[in-house]
Amino acid sequence: MLSESIMVRRQELDREKGFVWLDLEGGGDIALIEDLLRRRGWIGGRAKVEKIEQAGEGNMNLVMRVYVKGNEGRGESGRRMILKQGRPWVEKYPEIAAPWERVGQEYEVYRVIRDIVGVREWVPGVVGYDDGMRMLGLEDLGEGLGIDAFYQGKGMDEEEVDWLAGVLKRLHGAELSKEVREGLQNEDMRRLNYEYLFVQPLNRGGENDERLDGFEKGLLAVVKDLRRDEPLREGVRELGEIYMDVEGRGGVLLHGDYYPGSWHRPIKVRNESIRGRRGVLDWEFSFVGHRSVDLGVFVGHAAMSKQKIDVVERFLAVYESVGDSVMSGFAGNEVIRRLAGVAQLPIEKSDGWRAEMLVRAREAIVNGDWRALWR
C-alpha cells in the first residue's frame, strides 16, 4: 500500500502533461506502449507491439518486456526490449519511498560503461531514455536462469566465476574523470540503501521482526542477541561510514549490488544451445566508492548459496585480491542484512542454518575474516 506522501506525489504526477504511468495490470495497455515507443523513435513506424509482460523480479522499478513485430527492414521482426520505469517508491515495497531519479542515474552509468572495454560487452544496449517519464529502454538479453536457482543448488562453474571476477576487475580498474566521479556519487540511492544495509537489520524492534521466526524457529532471538552485541554494532557502524563516504575512499566505479539478482545467466539446453546471453543488469545502485562493497556482496552471496570456498578463492585470485578485513566486513554484513532484514532471498525455510550463518557473519565482521562464513 502506498504511503500518504507517495499518494500525493502520484496525484501531482498524474497532472503533468505527457507523463504516463506504465502498468502491467490485466496484461497492460499494448496500444499505449506502442504509441509511446513509436513517438520516441524506439520502434519503426510500421512496427507493432505484440505483447508485454513483467520481466524479472522488479524489486526497485516496474520492469516490462515488450515484444515487437513487423518492420523487418529494420531488423525488428521478433525483437524484444525491456522498459524500466522508476517511481517515487520501491516497486516491491511500495510503502518505502525511493529517489525518483534512479533510472536516470542508471542511464548515466550506462553512458560511462560504454567506454570501458571488458564491461561494455556485458551490459544491455540502451534503446533510449525519457527523463520526463523516468523511463529507460534496454536491449533484452533473452532467457535466463531465475534467481531461485542460485540459492537452490545451482552452483557456478570455473568459467562463470572467472567471468564475474573479470568484469568486476575491469569495472573497478576504469579510469574516471573528475566530472564523472562527481556525477556518479548517487547519494540519494546510497542514503536509501544505507538504512536497509546498516541500520534496519540491527535496529531494536525492527520492521521485519514478525517474519523472522517464520523463516526459522528461534531466529528472532538470535537476531536480538546480535543487536546487543556492541563489537558487532561498532563494526557495522564503521562499514556504514565507508559506504557513505562522499570522498569515495577506494575511488572506483562500483556496481553497488553485485549479487545473483543482477547477473543474467543464460539457460543452457543439452549443454549445447544457449538461450539468451550473459550480462550484468540493474545499475541504479552504482556509485564511486570502496571496492570492498562489491567484493563483499559477492562473497556474502557465495556463502548464502552454499558455494564451496574454492569459488571465492578463485574469484579473488582472478580479481587479484586477497580479501582484506573491510571486504570481510561487507561480506558478513550482507549476510546479516539478507537473513535478518527486509530484503529476504528465495531461500527455503531452514532449521538452524540461518542462525548459524548469522553467527558466522558476526565473526567475519568483528574479526575481519571472510573465511569465517565457511567454518
Side-chain angles (χ1 to χ4, degrees):
M1 183 176 181
L2 299 180
S3 68
E4 183 177 352
S5 61
I6 294 176
M7 285 295 291
V8 170
R9 181 65 178 129
R10 177 160 188 161
Q11 290 167 4
E12 291 174 353
L13 292 170
D14 285 340
R15 292 191 290 269
E16 287 194 13
K17 185 177 180 180
F19 183 85
V20 178
W21 294 103
L22 300 186
D23 193 356
L24 283 163
E25 187 174 345
D29 189 333
I30 293 177
L32 172 65
I33 298 300
E34 184 178 297
D35 181 61
L36 288 173
L37 296 179
R38 183 173 292 116
R39 283 193 286 113
R40 285 159 181 76
W42 296 3
I43 62 173
R46 292 181 296 171
K48 297 290 183 181
V49 172
E50 187 175 28
K51 181 176 68 171
I52 57 178
E53 64 186 15
Q54 183 171 335
E57 290 284 319
N59 290 341
M60 279 300 302
N61 309 295
L62 183 145
V63 185
M64 65 169 61
R65 176 174 288 109
V66 181
Y67 294 78
V68 180
K69 66 177 181 178
N71 256 39
E72 287 82 355
R74 290 182 47 160
E76 289 182 341
S77 182
R79 176 188 178 197
R80 304 193 309 188
M81 73 173 72
I82 299 295
L83 291 184
K84 297 180 70 170
Q85 186 180 50
R87 284 81 107 70
W89 61 83
V90 177
E91 200 68 24
K92 189 172 182 178
Y93 306 102
E95 69 278 6
I96 301 175
W100 197 32
E101 298 78 15
R102 61 187 180 274
V103 174
Q105 177 75 19
E106 182 173 5
Y107 172 62
E108 292 303 321
V109 175
Y110 280 120
R111 285 161 56 91
V112 172
I113 287 175
R114 69 186 178 188
D115 293 327
I116 305 177
V117 176
V119 179
R120 65 190 181 196
E121 297 87 345
W122 305 113
V123 300
V126 175
V127 177
Y129 174 64
D130 186 300
D131 186 59
M133 278 189 57
R134 297 339 191 238
M135 181 175 69
L136 178 63
L138 296 170
E139 170 196 5
D140 184 4
L141 298 185
E143 293 184 66
L145 289 170
I147 186 176
D148 293 23
F150 192 86
Y151 301 98
Q152 294 172 5
K154 184 69 174 178
M156 293 186 289
D157 58 31
E158 292 182 349
E159 191 270 339
E160 186 171 31
V161 172
D162 292 353
W163 168 67
L164 287 167
V167 170
L168 205 60
K169 179 182 177 180
R170 288 184 282 274
L171 177 70
H172 291 178
E175 293 186 9
L176 307 174
S177 68
K178 181 180 179 182
E179 181 182 13
V180 168
R181 288 177 177 275
E182 291 175 350
L184 295 181
Q185 289 297 313
N186 206 2
E187 291 184 47
D188 289 342
M189 283 295 281
R190 266 198 281 174
R191 276 193 290 270
L192 171 66
N193 219 21
Y194 174 88
E195 290 296 317
Y196 293 92
L197 281 169
F198 308 105
V199 178
Q200 186 271 334
L202 295 180
N203 190 28
R204 292 175 175 83
E207 58 191 274
N208 197 49
D209 284 6
E210 61 186 32
R211 303 171 60 203
L212 294 179
D213 281 349
F215 300 129
E216 180 174 295
K217 186 177 180 180
L219 188 60
L220 178 57
V222 175
V223 172
K224 286 182 175 180
D225 284 343
L226 293 177
R227 290 171 179 166
R228 292 188 288 267
D229 190 320
E230 287 305 320
L232 172 63
R233 293 180 66 85
E234 177 61 19
V236 171
R237 185 191 66 77
E238 292 176 358
L239 291 169
E241 288 182 353
I242 294 173
Y243 183 83
M244 289 301 297
D245 184 0
V246 294
E247 297 299 324
R249 274 185 285 176
V252 303
L253 180 57
L254 303 173
H255 177 274
D257 200 18
Y258 206 64
Y259 88 113
S262 300
W263 310 331
H264 191 269
R265 308 166 79 201
I267 297 173
K268 295 183 180 180
V269 182
R270 297 193 187 94
N271 297 320
E272 296 291 338
S273 175
I274 299 178
R275 298 176 180 174
R277 73 176 181 88
R278 189 175 280 173
V280 180
L281 313 171
D282 299 335
W283 294 79
E284 62 259 35
F285 286 108
S286 181
F287 66 98
V288 175
H290 200 295
R291 68 185 66 238
S292 292
V293 173
D294 281 345
L295 292 170
V297 168
F298 176 91
V299 174
H301 285 273
M304 286 184 284
S305 61
K306 302 179 183 178
Q307 306 289 326
K308 293 181 179 179
I309 196 171
D310 301 17
V311 165
V312 176
E313 291 173 339
R314 185 180 184 93
F315 180 88
L316 293 177
V318 173
Y319 183 89
E320 297 186 56
S321 170
V322 295
D324 59 16
S325 61
V326 179
M327 186 208 79
S328 299
F330 278 109
N333 189 72
E334 183 68 9
V335 172
I336 290 176
R337 79 106 165 188
R338 290 291 191 172
L339 298 185
V342 171
Q344 292 286 321
L345 298 168
I347 298 175
E348 295 180 353
K349 187 174 180 179
S350 54
D351 183 13
W353 175 82
R354 282 177 167 83
E356 182 179 348
M357 286 303 301
L358 288 173
V359 172
R360 292 179 182 180
R362 186 262 181 201
E363 295 304 308
I365 295 171
V366 174
N367 297 328
D369 182 6
W370 63 268
R371 293 177 180 273
L373 295 172
W374 275 264
R375 290 181 187 141

